[in-house]
Amino acid sequence: MEKVSIELFGLTLLQPSTFISDVGIAFLGFGLFLSLKKLFPSSKIRVYYGFFFLFIGISTFIGGNAHLIEHYTEHYLFHASGWSVSAVAIYFMQRGSVYDYPEKIKKILNPIFLFQMVISVLIYLGYQLFGGIEVGHNFVGTPGFSAVKVSIGVGFIVFILPLHVYKIIKEKDHGSAIFLMGIVSSVAALIIQSKKWGINEYINHNVVAHIVLGVCYYLYYLGVRQKIVKYEGLIEEV
């Protein structure tokens, strides 16, 4: 699929609809971060999940701008920077998911989470710097995004998903149940990205996936609120 471009103030801007959907997701992330901070200012679980929303917002904002000004760049480092910030976001989601587990479990998993984050960032940036990539501005798609999908798959399917499924089975945790619905939504978004399922050149697979991710992040937000009330006994401050 060819990239859509528009001319604005003498500038050639690529994939404007992807930029708009990215910025929409970014502001959703910022809003969910601020909402959790306002509702549960003393919560420790909120810190980890809140940072997930904050960094995912930063990541998508960078990604949207990377698409928009791609015509003027001779590399994909702007994209890779956004992916790297998303790796940090996933790290905080993993830390939040294991927070209500025993200390011995956290001592095992937290270094693994950190290792995955560091390796992901090194791969994203290293591939763009040393992978001999040819830059093309005509067709939708960014070289190296497959590594992002693998990292997200490992982060969620190998770690985050089992941590919440265990809580659902053993403790009937409603918050984790809502999280599970969000994870299913994120898998749907990943499939949409992989298969490039879009409606037309303007509402392409990126835009559709971002809409699904918006639902996914809101489900995570609802799940976090449930878990904070259950595990920390805090009441929402309105």
Side-chain angles (χ1 to χ4, degrees), residues 206-224:
N206 287 322
V207 176
V208 176
H210 291 157
I211 293 171
V212 175
L213 283 175
V215 175
C216 163
Y217 296 155
Y218 189 70
L219 288 171
Y220 291 156
Y221 166 78
L222 295 178
V224 172

Side-chain angles (χ1 to χ4, degrees), residues 17 103 112 190:
S17 56
E103 284 297 324
I112 296 175
L190 200 59

Side-chain angles (χ1 to χ4, degrees), residues 91-149:
Y91 167 74
F92 280 111
M93 171 67 83
Q94 291 171 321
R95 290 293 301 268
S97 298
V98 80
Y99 184 85
D100 47 6
Y101 276 77
E103 284 297 324
K104 61 180 181 181
I105 301 296
K106 288 190 277 189
K107 287 182 179 179
I108 295 171
L109 290 180
N110 285 340
I112 296 175
F113 298 155
L114 180 61
F115 178 78
Q116 182 194 347
M117 180 190 71
V118 172
I119 292 299
S120 296
V121 171
L122 291 176
I123 291 174
Y124 300 160
L125 296 176
Y127 182 65
Q128 301 302 329
L129 288 170
F130 308 111
I133 298 170
E134 293 185 8
V135 177
H137 299 309
N138 296 323
F139 297 97
V140 175
T142 307
F145 190 69
S146 295
V148 180
K149 291 185 284 189

Side-chain angles (χ1 to χ4, degrees), residues 17 41 59 63-64 73 83 89 95 106 145 149-150 160 165 177 180 184:
S17 56
S59 170
T73 60
W83 301 341
R95 290 293 301 268
K106 288 190 277 189
F145 190 69
K149 291 185 284 189
V150 171
I160 296 172
V165 168
L180 184 59
V184 171

